[in-house]
Short mmCIF file of all heavy atoms in Angstrom, two decimals:
data_model
loop_
_atom_site.label_atom_id
_atom_site.label_comp_id
_atom_site.label_asym_id
_atom_site.label_seq_id
_atom_site.Cartn_x
_atom_site.Cartn_y
_atom_site.Cartn_z
N LEU S 31 -47.21 -8.89 31.62
CA LEU S 31 -46.74 -9.43 30.34
C LEU S 31 -46.12 -8.33 29.50
O LEU S 31 -46.01 -8.44 28.29
CB LEU S 31 -47.90 -10.11 29.59
CG LEU S 31 -48.44 -11.38 30.24
CD1 LEU S 31 -49.63 -11.89 29.48
CD2 LEU S 31 -47.38 -12.44 30.36
N ASN S 32 -45.72 -7.24 30.15
CA ASN S 32 -44.96 -6.17 29.51
C ASN S 32 -45.72 -5.46 28.40
O ASN S 32 -45.20 -5.21 27.33
CB ASN S 32 -43.63 -6.71 28.95
CG ASN S 32 -42.75 -7.28 30.05
OD1 ASN S 32 -42.73 -6.75 31.16
ND2 ASN S 32 -42.05 -8.35 29.74
N ILE S 33 -46.98 -5.15 28.65
CA ILE S 33 -47.77 -4.37 27.71
C ILE S 33 -47.76 -2.93 28.19
O ILE S 33 -48.00 -2.66 29.36
CB ILE S 33 -49.22 -4.90 27.64
CG1 ILE S 33 -49.22 -6.39 27.32
CG2 ILE S 33 -50.03 -4.14 26.61
CD1 ILE S 33 -50.58 -7.02 27.35
N ASN S 34 -47.48 -1.97 27.32
CA ASN S 34 -47.41 -0.58 27.77
C ASN S 34 -48.80 -0.02 28.02
O ASN S 34 -49.82 -0.56 27.58
CB ASN S 34 -46.62 0.27 26.77
CG ASN S 34 -47.29 0.35 25.41
OD1 ASN S 34 -48.47 0.61 25.32
ND2 ASN S 34 -46.52 0.12 24.35
N LYS S 35 -48.84 1.10 28.76
CA LYS S 35 -50.12 1.65 29.20
C LYS S 35 -51.00 2.09 28.05
O LYS S 35 -52.23 1.96 28.10
CB LYS S 35 -49.85 2.81 30.16
CG LYS S 35 -49.28 2.37 31.50
CD LYS S 35 -49.08 3.54 32.44
CE LYS S 35 -48.55 3.07 33.79
NZ LYS S 35 -48.33 4.19 34.72
N ALA S 36 -50.40 2.62 26.99
CA ALA S 36 -51.20 3.05 25.84
C ALA S 36 -51.90 1.85 25.20
O ALA S 36 -53.08 1.92 24.83
CB ALA S 36 -50.31 3.75 24.81
N ALA S 37 -51.17 0.74 25.10
CA ALA S 37 -51.76 -0.46 24.52
C ALA S 37 -52.87 -1.00 25.42
O ALA S 37 -53.91 -1.46 24.93
CB ALA S 37 -50.69 -1.53 24.32
N ILE S 38 -52.67 -0.93 26.75
CA ILE S 38 -53.71 -1.39 27.67
C ILE S 38 -55.00 -0.60 27.46
O ILE S 38 -56.10 -1.16 27.40
CB ILE S 38 -53.23 -1.26 29.13
CG1 ILE S 38 -52.06 -2.19 29.41
CG2 ILE S 38 -54.38 -1.56 30.09
CD1 ILE S 38 -51.44 -2.01 30.77
N LYS S 39 -54.87 0.72 27.33
CA LYS S 39 -56.04 1.57 27.12
C LYS S 39 -56.77 1.18 25.84
O LYS S 39 -58.01 1.09 25.81
CB LYS S 39 -55.61 3.03 27.08
CG LYS S 39 -56.77 4.01 27.02
CD LYS S 39 -56.27 5.45 27.09
CE LYS S 39 -57.43 6.44 27.04
NZ LYS S 39 -56.96 7.85 27.12
N GLU S 40 -56.01 0.93 24.79
CA GLU S 40 -56.62 0.52 23.52
C GLU S 40 -57.32 -0.82 23.67
O GLU S 40 -58.41 -1.04 23.12
CB GLU S 40 -55.55 0.43 22.44
CG GLU S 40 -54.99 1.77 21.99
CD GLU S 40 -53.95 1.59 20.89
OE1 GLU S 40 -53.98 0.53 20.22
OE2 GLU S 40 -53.11 2.48 20.71
N MET S 41 -56.69 -1.73 24.41
CA MET S 41 -57.27 -3.06 24.57
C MET S 41 -58.57 -3.02 25.36
O MET S 41 -59.54 -3.72 25.02
CB MET S 41 -56.25 -3.96 25.26
CG MET S 41 -55.02 -4.24 24.42
SD MET S 41 -53.69 -5.00 25.36
CE MET S 41 -54.31 -6.64 25.54
N LEU S 42 -58.62 -2.19 26.40
CA LEU S 42 -59.85 -2.09 27.19
C LEU S 42 -60.98 -1.48 26.36
O LEU S 42 -62.14 -1.88 26.49
CB LEU S 42 -59.59 -1.27 28.44
CG LEU S 42 -58.60 -1.87 29.45
CD1 LEU S 42 -58.44 -0.95 30.65
CD2 LEU S 42 -59.03 -3.27 29.89
N ALA S 43 -60.63 -0.54 25.50
CA ALA S 43 -61.63 0.03 24.60
C ALA S 43 -62.11 -1.02 23.60
O ALA S 43 -63.31 -1.11 23.29
CB ALA S 43 -61.05 1.24 23.87
N TYR S 44 -61.18 -1.79 23.08
CA TYR S 44 -61.52 -2.86 22.14
C TYR S 44 -62.48 -3.85 22.82
O TYR S 44 -63.48 -4.28 22.21
CB TYR S 44 -60.26 -3.56 21.67
CG TYR S 44 -60.49 -4.68 20.67
CD1 TYR S 44 -60.48 -4.42 19.31
CD2 TYR S 44 -60.70 -5.98 21.10
CE1 TYR S 44 -60.68 -5.44 18.39
CE2 TYR S 44 -60.91 -7.01 20.20
CZ TYR S 44 -60.90 -6.73 18.84
OH TYR S 44 -61.11 -7.75 17.94
N ALA S 45 -62.18 -4.24 24.06
CA ALA S 45 -63.05 -5.17 24.78
C ALA S 45 -64.46 -4.60 24.89
O ALA S 45 -65.45 -5.34 24.77
CB ALA S 45 -62.47 -5.45 26.16
N GLY S 46 -64.56 -3.29 25.11
CA GLY S 46 -65.88 -2.66 25.18
C GLY S 46 -66.66 -2.78 23.89
O GLY S 46 -67.90 -2.88 23.90
#
Side-chain angles (χ1 to χ4, degrees):
L31 292 176
N32 299 324
I33 306 175
N34 63 49
K35 289 182 179 179
I38 294 174
K39 186 176 181 180
E40 290 181 22
M41 294 168 74
L42 296 180
Y44 181 91

